[in-house]
């Protein structure tokens, strides 16, 4: 007989993502301040980069944020109970009539990425929209050559945006895109203009226009070295010790015995694996901590489990919580993953406080 799980008290998860909400709000205020006369919005696509959009959006609303960028229409729906629809921009744009209908009914604003999308929106009665122009990343957006099309003059455009390809580097492409964006501003009539992501904010006033669109740095990522020390870590993954075991000298640990105990060891098995985004690249390399003491990963990461050395923390036992080393810059250097990947990989089994 099937039964109704809501009848039982679900026990707390052995895996949780602690968010430093003060750090999150602080990071937005820093980015808003660095944006000069422009205001900072927030890229909250991919569930606010894995942090949990339903936690992040109310927190950033309290900090003063009023502009939200998501990729998918479904992500906009998640935000609707929390913010006014007209503050939400869907970057992927309206691909078909169902997308247009959702936008018109909900009031969420599409980012139009092609003349086809612009015509589709205009034909449906349109209303206020955003437009993306490609100034050199060759990803989404109208081509520079499309800008003379009369449909663009007929639209009611709130924000005209473009996206920088290499703002995290000092390369000529940044100035080239800025120059093209200047041409865009001459040709596309809009209430507001927006160019900079997190890294782009650090390129200076010329890049700020009216609205900036930070994502990574909100969540503690160091998009450019200038941010170090000012942007604070937000995400602290924590996992509980499920079991403590003694391993004899010469025994293998985990799949394929890639670690052999050089001496008798005290090991802990924790509720964290690659299905949670703690990928196999952390095998033999990852680190955690308990009450300030360092705890290394032993051997391979499994799907749901990781084995760690508890020799130096005799007081740490079953049910105790370990914090994963997740400082974005050093975690990226050790794992080979980008800071973006480190955040967005954090899986659905993490309990996220609402
Ligand atoms: C993801 C995204 C952003 C945010 O970029 P970060 O590098 O995370 O700050 C801004 N604009 C667009 C169009 C994006 O796709």
């Amino acid at each position: 007989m099937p039964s109704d799980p809501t009848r039982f008290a679900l026990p707390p998860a052995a895996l949780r993502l602690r968010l430093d909400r003060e750090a999150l709000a602080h990071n937005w205020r820093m980015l808003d301040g660095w944006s000069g006369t422009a205001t900072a919005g927030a890229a909250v696509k991919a569930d606010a980069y894995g942090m949990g959009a339903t936690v992040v959006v109310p927190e950033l609303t309290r900090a003063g944020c009023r502009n939200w960028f998501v990729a998918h229409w479904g992500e906009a729906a998640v935000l609707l109970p929390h913010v006014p629809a007209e503050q939400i921009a869907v970057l992927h744009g309206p691909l078909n009539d169902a997308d247009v209908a959702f936008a018109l009914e909900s009031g969420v604003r599409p980012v139009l990425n092609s003349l086809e999308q612009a015509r589709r929106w205009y034909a449906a009665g349109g209303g206020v929209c955003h437009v993306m122009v490609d100034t050199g990343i060759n990803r989404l957006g109208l081509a520079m050559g499309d800008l003379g099309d009369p449909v663009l003059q007929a639209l009611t455009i709130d924000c005209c945006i473009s996206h920088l390809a290499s703002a995290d580097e000092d390369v000529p492409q940044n100035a080239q895109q800025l120059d093209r964006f200047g041409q865009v501003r001459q040709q596309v009539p809009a209430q507001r203009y927006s160019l900079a992501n997190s890294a782009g904010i650090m390129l200076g006033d010329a890049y700020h226009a009216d609205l900036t669109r930070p994502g990574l740095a909100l969540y503690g990522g160091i998009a450019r070295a200038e941010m170090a020390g000012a942007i604070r870590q937000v995400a602290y993954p924590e996992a509980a010790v499920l079991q403590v075991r003694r391993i004899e000298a010469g025994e293998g640990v985990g799949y394929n015995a890639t670690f052999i105990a050089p001496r008798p060891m005290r090991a802990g098995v924790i509720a964290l694996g690659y299905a949670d985004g703690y990928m196999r690249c952390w095998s033999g390399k990852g680190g955690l901590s308990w009450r300030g003491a360092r705890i290394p990963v032993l051997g391979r990461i499994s799907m749901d489990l990781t084995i760690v050395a508890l020799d130096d923390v005799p007081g740490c036992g079953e049910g105790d919580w370990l914090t994963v080393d997740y400082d974005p810059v050093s975690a990226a250097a050790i794992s080979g993953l980008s800071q973006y990947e480190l955040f967005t990989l954090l899986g659905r089994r993490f309990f996220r406080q609402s």
Side-chain angles (χ1 to χ4, degrees):
M1 269 283 277
S3 63
D4 172 11
T6 61
R7 282 167 47 219
F8 318 115
L10 193 64
L15 184 61
R16 64 193 183 198
L17 182 62
R18 183 165 61 81
L19 283 195
D20 185 337
R21 294 168 188 234
E22 256 177 57
L24 176 67
H26 161 90
N27 291 345
W28 184 82
R29 285 191 296 264
M30 289 300 296
L31 290 156
D32 188 55
W34 284 330
S35 298
T37 56
T39 186
V44 292
K45 60 201 184 189
D47 201 23
Y49 288 43
M51 306 291 135
T54 59
V55 182
V56 164
V57 168
E59 194 62 47
L60 293 183
T61 298
R62 281 188 285 277
C65 186
R66 296 291 180 270
N67 296 270
W68 315 96
F69 295 90
V70 294
H72 288 255
W73 293 93
E75 296 177 329
V78 172
L79 264 54
L80 281 172
H82 302 279
V83 294
E86 65 269 21
Q87 294 183 359
I88 306 170
V90 178
L91 291 162
H92 283 186
L95 194 60
N96 49 46
D97 292 344
D99 291 347
V100 170
F102 178 84
L104 291 174
E105 283 169 29
S106 66
V108 168
R109 293 184 178 168
V111 177
L112 308 178
N113 288 303
S114 65
L115 287 178
E116 203 176 5
Q117 290 188 355
R119 291 188 193 112
R120 182 177 294 131
W121 182 249
Y122 184 71
V128 185
C129 60
H130 307 297
V131 165
M132 166 81 86
V133 180
D134 195 302
T135 51
I137 193 171
N138 280 300
R139 210 173 61 169
L140 285 180
L142 291 151
M144 297 292 291
D146 291 335
L147 301 185
D149 195 285
V151 72
L152 295 178
Q153 303 299 321
L155 293 171
T156 308
I157 303 171
D158 172 5
C159 197
C160 175
I161 76 182
S162 189
H163 193 53
L164 296 165
S166 308
D168 56 339
E169 296 179 289
D170 292 314
V171 291
Q173 190 179 18
N174 294 325
Q176 187 182 56
Q177 286 196 267
L178 178 63
D179 181 64
R180 288 190 187 153
F181 194 60
Q183 299 167 39
V184 172
R185 294 179 70 154
Q186 298 299 314
Q187 293 184 73
V188 180
Q191 285 286 314
R192 303 183 291 171
Y193 297 87
S194 173
L195 178 62
N197 60 350
S198 299
I201 290 171
M202 306 315 277
L203 296 179
D205 285 344
Y207 289 80
H208 296 155
D210 302 303
L211 174 66
T212 59
R213 309 186 307 273
L216 186 76
L218 288 173
Y219 312 112
I222 306 301
R224 285 184 60 100
E226 299 93 312
M227 291 177 173
I231 291 295
R232 286 162 51 185
Q233 185 173 345
V234 171
Y236 295 85
E238 298 178 335
V241 177
L242 301 174
Q243 190 175 2
V244 175
R245 61 190 315 123
R246 187 184 152 85
I247 299 171
E248 300 305 332
E251 290 219 72
V253 172
Y255 281 122
N256 307 107
T258 60
F259 179 83
I260 307 286
R263 55 179 187 279
M265 294 183 76
R266 183 170 181 268
V269 183
I270 65 172
L272 171 70
Y274 57 77
D276 306 302
Y278 200 61
M279 307 312 273
R280 268 185 32 160
C281 57
W282 289 111
S283 299
K285 290 190 201 167
L288 301 91
S289 65
W290 183 72
R291 298 187 182 169
R294 303 270 310 103
I295 295 176
V297 167
L298 301 177
R300 286 255 157 93
I301 309 295
S302 304
M303 185 183 295
D304 319 302
L305 299 166
T306 291
I307 306 161
V308 300
L310 296 180
D311 304 285
D312 298 338
V313 283
C316 177
E318 288 169 16
D320 283 338
W321 286 89
L322 310 185
T323 304
V324 183
D325 290 351
Y326 229 65
D327 165 73
V329 172
S330 49
I334 294 167
S335 66
L337 297 166
S338 72
Q339 297 178 61
Y340 295 87
E341 291 171 304
L342 286 166
F343 293 160
T344 57
L345 279 166
L346 295 169
R348 301 178 62 158
R349 297 195 297 196
F350 278 95
F351 174 73
R352 291 166 172 85
Q353 196 87 45
S354 55

